[in-house]
Amino acid sequence: RKYGEAGGSWDRSLQSRMSVAATEASRARKKEHRSSWEAFVGCLSSLEKEHFKTRPLLLIDDTRPTGLGVCKAHCQHWHLTTWSRFSAEDEPGKLWPEQQAMTVGGISVQLNCSKQAFEYMLAAAWTLLEVGSSIWVHGTVAQGIQSAPAWLAPLFKISKVFEPGTNHGVTVIRAEKTAASAHGHGPDDFMMQSVIQLPITPAPSRDWYSFPGLFAQGGVDVMTQLLLEQLTPHLLKSLDSHQDMSHQASKFRVLDFACGSGTISASLLEKAPPDTVSVTMLDADAAAVHVARRNVERAEAHLVSDCWWSVGRNHGEFDWIVSNPPVHCGFTSDLTVLETLIEGAAARLKSSGQLWIVAQVYVAVGVMMEASGSYQDVSAVMDDGRFVVWRATKRSKKTAKKSKKTADSDDGKKKKKKKVK
């Protein structure tokens, strides 16, 4: 069904309103994160502030450069360093913090993740601190700060809790490193192994690796299943067409955007005939890409990247870009990744290449695709009332010129009417 046709459970005006609401929620989230870091700085004593002029303060902050910016604004002479699993613009995420030239003097963590992911961060933090050194954890009730004391034990002993008060609902917990041994001393100690059955493939169950904090615990969620069910018949048809049109033995190129542990890539490679499909995998989370390398060794490339930052011309153009993109950050709607995906995909697609996205029914994917002006034939391939699989074809240069000419003509008519008035 083409976008805009009647009969769908999704509604264009509703999607437009949801897009605006998500934008506002994203702004509120950024403000909340800033308040969290300001609350942390406000709880530091004069002695502690002096301490960080000579000993590094490690900021574990998935929303860089928020924490770094707040701390620099309060004291330009602090010795600051950062670590995040997640990429931020041109700075790729890191699986494990780098060993510092000198012992870390303290660590500050903004709580905004699951228990398993938090425990992973704590283990990394524990390896960098001396016994008795402090770690500060800050966040709101919605971010799980009430559970933090239990999660901190037994690696850290609570020394003080700063209640919200005027801190915009932010609680700050200070704890000290104990002599207890951490659960793991490196990232591979946290890797989880299971056995899964990949969708749409006749292949038997296989070993699968995941990591704390990955979406759907690194397995196959219902949206990925629905996307793959729609991709399969179109993949086989596209392969036939690709072979007929290609004068060389080139492979059909697919980019798996926000790949997670790799279930989409692995399924497509299993389903396609041997040596017909080439897959490039991309995710902002260094941990996701780490396990994706083990799960999908046949991929052409595994990229740790904040959306398009690491995708250069050397990676070429793709026949398909497929994605089950994140539309939340914690408990808050956040369409930043989805918007960036849609805005940048067309430039990375071959002529007549296609963008495939699966999302909840209320997410404004169709609105965004049309509004970008880069796509034609925007359609809902599957709509079950809960989730929608969207497909859009890169707009040809000829169609793009025609659309621009029409738009310019419409603008001219509007100006002419204004003059007549």
Side-chain angles (χ1 to χ4, degrees), residues 92-374:
K94 296 175 183 176
L95 186 62
W96 197 257
E98 296 177 351
Q99 196 66 39
Q100 302 295 314
M102 64 178 75
T103 306
V104 170
I107 295 177
S108 179
V109 183
Q110 184 184 359
L111 182 60
N112 192 32
C113 59
S114 66
K115 176 185 178 183
Q116 292 77 16
F118 183 68
E119 289 175 341
Y120 171 73
M121 287 194 295
L122 286 182
W126 188 90
T127 63
L128 299 173
L129 286 172
E130 294 178 337
V131 173
S133 294
S134 296
I135 183 171
W136 287 262
V137 179
H138 42 99
T140 62
V141 172
Q143 293 170 333
I145 193 66
Q146 290 179 322
S147 300
W151 297 351
L152 281 161
L155 299 181
F156 297 90
K157 180 182 178 182
I158 307 296
S159 57
K160 190 167 184 179
V161 177
F162 300 86
E163 297 297 342
T166 59
N167 295 336
H168 303 283
V170 177
T171 296
V172 182
I173 300 172
R174 185 178 68 202
E176 297 174 352
K177 176 180 174 177
T178 67
S181 178
H183 168 66
H185 298 280
D188 287 338
D189 292 333
F190 291 85
M191 192 179 297
M192 300 175 288
Q193 184 176 2
S194 61
V195 176
I196 70 168
Q197 172 69 54
L198 290 172
I200 72 167
T201 69
S205 299
R206 53 165 290 180
D207 289 339
W208 196 257
Y209 296 92
S210 185
F211 219 82
L214 293 191
F215 178 65
Q217 297 182 333
V220 182
D221 65 289
V222 62
M223 288 195 291
T224 296
Q225 175 85 34
L226 292 171
L227 175 61
L228 285 168
E229 288 173 357
Q230 298 304 315
L231 287 175
T232 303
H234 292 280
L235 174 65
L236 299 178
K237 291 179 182 178
S238 296
L239 286 175
D240 290 338
S241 176
H242 179 75
Q243 291 171 354
D244 292 339
M245 295 176 63
S246 179
H247 300 293
Q248 301 177 349
S250 62
K251 293 182 180 181
F252 188 82
R253 302 194 70 229
V254 178
L255 172 64
D256 185 355
F257 186 99
C259 65
S261 65
T263 52
I264 292 177
S265 291
S267 299
L268 293 178
L269 287 172
E270 288 286 352
K271 189 66 177 180
D275 299 321
T276 58
V277 173
S278 169
V279 170
T280 295
M281 306 175 72
L282 177 154
D283 204 286
D285 185 356
V289 177
H290 182 68
V291 294
R293 285 194 180 96
R294 299 194 64 165
N295 292 328
V296 194
E297 294 179 348
R298 288 193 288 159
E300 178 182 343
H302 304 83
L303 306 177
V304 180
S305 176
D306 180 5
C307 293
W308 301 112
W309 277 89
S310 299
V311 186
R313 292 183 178 180
N314 58 309
H315 292 104
E317 295 178 325
F318 300 91
D319 296 282
W320 277 6
I321 295 176
V322 300
S323 186
N324 178 3
V327 293
H328 294 88
C329 183
F331 299 102
T332 307
S333 295
D334 187 343
L335 303 184
T336 305
V337 173
L338 175 61
E339 291 171 342
T340 306
L341 164 60
I342 292 172
E343 288 170 2
R348 278 88 178 175
L349 283 169
K350 294 180 180 179
S351 176
S352 300
Q354 293 182 336
L355 172 61
W356 291 77
I357 295 175
V358 64
Q360 292 90 339
V361 70
Y362 60 82
V363 180
V365 177
V367 172
M368 294 179 190
M369 285 177 161
E370 280 204 331
S372 73
S374 301

Side-chain angles (χ1 to χ4, degrees), residues 77-92:
H77 302 292
W78 281 358
H79 188 167
L80 301 171
T81 183
T82 63
W83 168 56
S84 176
R85 279 171 46 173
F86 295 88
S87 306
E89 298 184 349
D90 60 342
E91 187 173 352

